Amino acid sequence: MVENRPFLTFLTHAFLIVGFLIVALPVYVAVIASTHDVSTLMSQTVPLWPGSHFIENYSRILTDASAANGLPNYSHMALNSLIMAVVITVGKIAISILSAFAIVYFRFPFRQLAFWIIFVTLMLPVEVRIMPTYKIVADLGMLNSWAGLTIPLIASATATFLFRQFFMTVPDEMLEAARVDGAGPMKFFRDILLPLSRTNIGALSVILFIYGWVQYLWPMLVTTDPGYYTLMMGMKRMVTVQDGVIEWQLVMAGSVLAMLPPILIVIFMQRLFIRGLTETEK
């Protein structure tokens, strides 16, 4: 029986409400700012009620606002961000699940050492190793290319670790039964491990897609060709105007639109995401 403690219930809900307000307030301000004109935003504090320029601002950001700032079309930058996020997500999942499969089910020299080397790279994010990574990408002629944008970000020690921990919970009897039925390693992986890993793949896909979608520093370093600009780069360049007034209403409209794909991914994959993070018994 769950003990009823009104004060703790009130305290829990109070913390949740305060946390929600802290997270939601910047989003609300961005949405409201995207409905006003530039003179309103520059002449006073940011208003807290919607304006009358909603259709105008969103039409401009989707058509000519990017070109006016020397950027590609907004939809082109959104497509670049989508391609980058999808390639990074699929690449990370594929490499991580195969790496974990090899580490758990194959016996080869220095198997545990290989895993711990992968695990140690958790302490070396892109920002730490960015200079040597950039040097390698430049020497290989991968600047201003999809390979340069995605390949250095594909490896994932976190996903490898999570898949390894899951594979270690799979009963050995399944492997023995597959061997008795004449299944080889890849058939066992395809027919048994992959279906069992569906919730894990779903949860990781949400996290990794958002990781790829919001990438800013790495694309900024390896891309100078406007044809490869992502949304994050476009939003940054819209607020670094040398001469003239920054059109904050368009920046906010672009930011609001850029938030939609991750939000939709979380909404449509919410069930798999929660199950993948909470299930302990398979």
Side-chain angles (χ1 to χ4, degrees):
M1 181 177 180
V2 179
E3 187 175 356
N4 185 18
R5 296 184 178 182
F7 176 74
L8 289 180
T9 302
F10 168 78
L11 193 63
T12 301
H13 284 80
F15 274 112
L16 288 174
I17 293 173
V18 172
F20 170 77
L21 292 177
I22 292 174
V23 173
L25 181 60
V27 178
Y28 176 77
V29 171
V31 173
I32 295 301
S34 68
T35 64
H36 289 271
D37 59 358
V38 66
S39 60
T40 302
L41 299 179
M42 298 298 292
S43 62
Q44 59 186 19
T45 57
V46 177
L48 296 180
W49 299 104
S52 58
H53 297 268
F54 176 85
I55 296 177
E56 175 189 349
N57 292 338
Y58 282 89
S59 298
R60 286 187 60 195
I61 194 64
L62 291 173
T63 54
D64 60 346
S66 299
N69 290 274
L71 298 170
N73 186 272
Y74 188 91
S75 59
H76 180 80
M77 293 189 293
L79 179 61
N80 289 346
S81 292
L82 179 63
I83 294 173
M84 184 176 178
V86 170
V87 171
I88 289 175
T89 301
V90 174
K92 280 180 176 289
I93 293 293
I95 292 177
S96 299
I97 197 170
L98 289 173
S99 300
F101 175 61
I103 290 172
V104 173
Y105 290 100
F106 288 84
R107 301 293 181 264
F108 55 88
F110 308 111
R111 179 168 59 100
Q112 290 301 321
L113 177 62
F115 167 73
W116 285 111
I117 291 175
I118 295 173
F119 187 76
V120 166
T121 61
L122 283 172
M123 296 181 288
L124 299 172
V126 174
E127 292 77 10
V128 174
R129 49 184 170 84
I130 198 161
M131 291 310 297
T133 304
Y134 176 83
K135 180 69 165 57
I136 293 173
V137 170
D139 290 344
L140 293 176
M142 294 165 57
L143 299 178
N144 291 317
S145 68
W146 288 115
L149 277 172
T150 57
I151 291 178
L153 303 178
I154 280 181
S156 175
T158 303
T160 303
F161 174 74
L162 293 177
F163 280 124
R164 172 188 179 268
Q165 296 305 108
F166 167 66
F167 289 162
M168 292 179 68
T169 66
V170 176
D172 293 336
E173 289 77 9
M174 286 190 175
L175 177 60
E176 295 300 328
R179 286 175 174 170
V180 170
D181 290 341
M186 293 311 298
K187 184 173 179 58
F188 171 71
F189 172 76
R190 183 181 64 252
D191 295 344
I192 297 179
L193 291 183
L194 272 184
L196 290 176
S197 305
R198 187 171 65 94
T199 55
N200 301 72
I201 293 174
L204 284 170
S205 296
V206 173
I207 298 172
L208 297 177
F209 179 87
I210 297 175
Y211 168 84
W213 181 265
V214 301
Q215 281 298 313
Y216 165 72
L217 181 59
W218 181 249
M220 184 70 74
L221 282 176
V222 301
T223 302
T224 56
D225 183 355
Y228 291 99
Y229 281 4
T230 62
L231 280 181
M232 305 305 120
M233 297 174 63
M235 294 300 98
K236 171 61 177 176
R237 281 172 165 76
M238 288 184 69
V239 300
T240 55
V241 179
Q242 297 296 330
D243 299 313
V245 178
I246 300 174
E247 298 189 271
W248 285 108
Q249 79 281 11
L250 299 181
V251 175
M252 293 303 161
S255 301
V256 170
L257 291 176
M259 287 189 290
L260 293 181
I263 291 174
L264 293 176
I265 289 293
V266 171
I267 291 175
F268 287 115
M269 299 190 66
Q270 183 177 13
R271 182 174 299 177
L272 279 177
F273 180 69
I274 294 175
R275 287 176 57 190
L277 294 180
T278 59
E279 284 188 358
T280 56
E281 294 184 2
K282 308 294 178 181

